[in-house]
Amino acid sequence: MEKERVIIVGGGPCGLAASLALQAEGIDALVIEKGNIVNAIYHYPTHQTFFSSSAKLEIGNVPFITENRKPKRNQALAYYREVVERKQIRVNAFEKVVKVEKQSNGMFYVFTDKETYEVEKVIIATGYYDHPNYMNVKGEDLPKVFHYFKEAHPYYNCDVVVIGGKNSSIDASLELVKAGARVTVLYRGAEYSPSIKPWVLPEFEALVRNETVQMEFGANVKEITESHLTYVKGTEVHKIKNDFVFAMTGYHPDHAFLNKMGVKRDEETGRPHFNSETMETNVEGIYIAGVIAAGNNANEIFIENGRFHGGLIAKHIIS
């Protein structure tokens, strides 16, 4: 059994930032990541542009310098690789944590698909991007339905339905149109979400006005088949032909993973029970960092504020 003082579960920007905060206090934490570092960013759309400026994505006092104020996905990947290399963060990549158990002596056993560790403190920084919010409608499990968007090229000259009205759906729709897809966007809301990036919305609205994109507000999806999608708008039922569906309906944390550790959460919001001054959960010795602290509200914590959680944790651990 391997022994560690602190293990960080999750190698995203907030997990890496926590590692650097601990490093500054003389604690060499081990980061365990089921993919490779910043795995969620890797899975972002290829041409994704961040909402935040590069300065607000910096960690460990390593400057993130880009030509444009708002960096793109590939620039962020290069930046975080450089931080890990320069700061010599210990990362066990492609290793999945399957269980965390607290022992009677206050220590923890961290079980992965490769090893078992005995550890004093555990920081959970797993984010939420791996767990889509399903619509729970018939046909959602068809091969033509996706909850992630990577690139638009495969959908050239296809009829594509995009479900959702926030940034992920708007970004996907714009890329699909550029690649020559025929796009219909269905959103259950009555108007555009206020969270949409302000520099993106005008371009999308222009496509809607020109009828390049068919936009339907107040649309609730009821069924997806191999060739059609059925939705209800008001009292009317509509059936539209499509080849592919992108259900960009958001994501949520792995609640079950935290529950098994004994971490309590608010059933309505999904927010874990934790001390906002220390980030320690109701289980002494287990901390959370990053967007997972916001529960189901993915618009509350981002890299730009979640990166500071590690400093609160490090201060509490050494106190």
Side-chain angles (χ1 to χ4, degrees), residues 109-293:
Y109 286 168
V110 175
F111 301 89
T112 77
D113 56 2
K114 295 182 179 180
E115 186 61 84
T116 301
Y117 303 84
E118 185 179 44
V119 58
E120 294 178 23
K121 309 288 185 183
V122 179
I123 301 170
I124 308 298
T126 48
Y128 64 93
Y129 198 60
D130 292 329
H131 302 276
N133 295 327
Y134 292 108
M135 299 177 292
N136 297 316
V137 299
K138 186 177 180 181
E140 189 173 12
D141 58 348
L142 289 171
K144 62 180 270 187
V145 181
F146 307 97
H147 288 86
Y148 297 91
F149 175 81
K150 192 69 174 177
E151 292 193 58
H153 172 75
Y155 312 101
Y156 161 71
N157 200 31
C158 293
D159 294 306
V160 181
V161 173
V162 179
I163 302 169
K166 298 184 179 179
N167 281 306
S168 58
S169 63
I170 301 302
D171 288 343
S173 299
L174 290 172
E175 291 297 321
L176 288 162
V177 167
K178 290 175 186 175
R182 295 176 292 276
V183 179
T184 299
V185 179
L186 305 179
Y187 182 41
R188 64 184 180 182
E191 58 185 19
Y192 292 110
S193 168
S195 68
I196 296 175
K197 293 175 283 195
W199 65 89
V200 168
L201 186 56
E203 180 183 357
F204 182 79
E205 287 182 309
L207 293 174
V208 173
R209 285 196 304 272
N210 296 333
E211 298 184 351
T212 303
V213 170
Q214 304 302 312
M215 180 75 197
E216 294 290 347
F217 292 102
N220 292 285
V221 177
K222 294 302 179 185
E223 183 180 2
I224 303 169
T225 68
E226 292 286 358
S227 59
H228 288 79
L229 179 148
T230 302
Y231 69 93
V232 175
K233 183 174 181 179
T235 59
E236 298 181 353
V237 177
H238 300 265
K239 189 175 182 180
I240 55 175
K241 178 180 176 297
N242 63 89
D243 301 302
F244 298 98
V245 175
F246 285 94
M248 313 305 291
T249 49
Y251 309 93
H252 63 268
D254 187 351
H255 297 307
F257 184 56
L258 286 175
N259 290 346
K260 289 176 182 176
M261 299 177 207
V263 176
K264 297 178 181 178
R265 66 183 176 91
D266 182 274
E267 290 294 331
E268 183 177 347
T269 65
R271 186 189 300 273
H273 290 199
F274 68 98
N275 184 329
S276 60
E277 294 182 358
T278 66
M279 304 307 294
E280 188 174 34
T281 68
N282 60 282
V283 180
E284 186 178 354
I286 294 182
Y287 300 80
I288 54 176
V291 69
I292 193 171

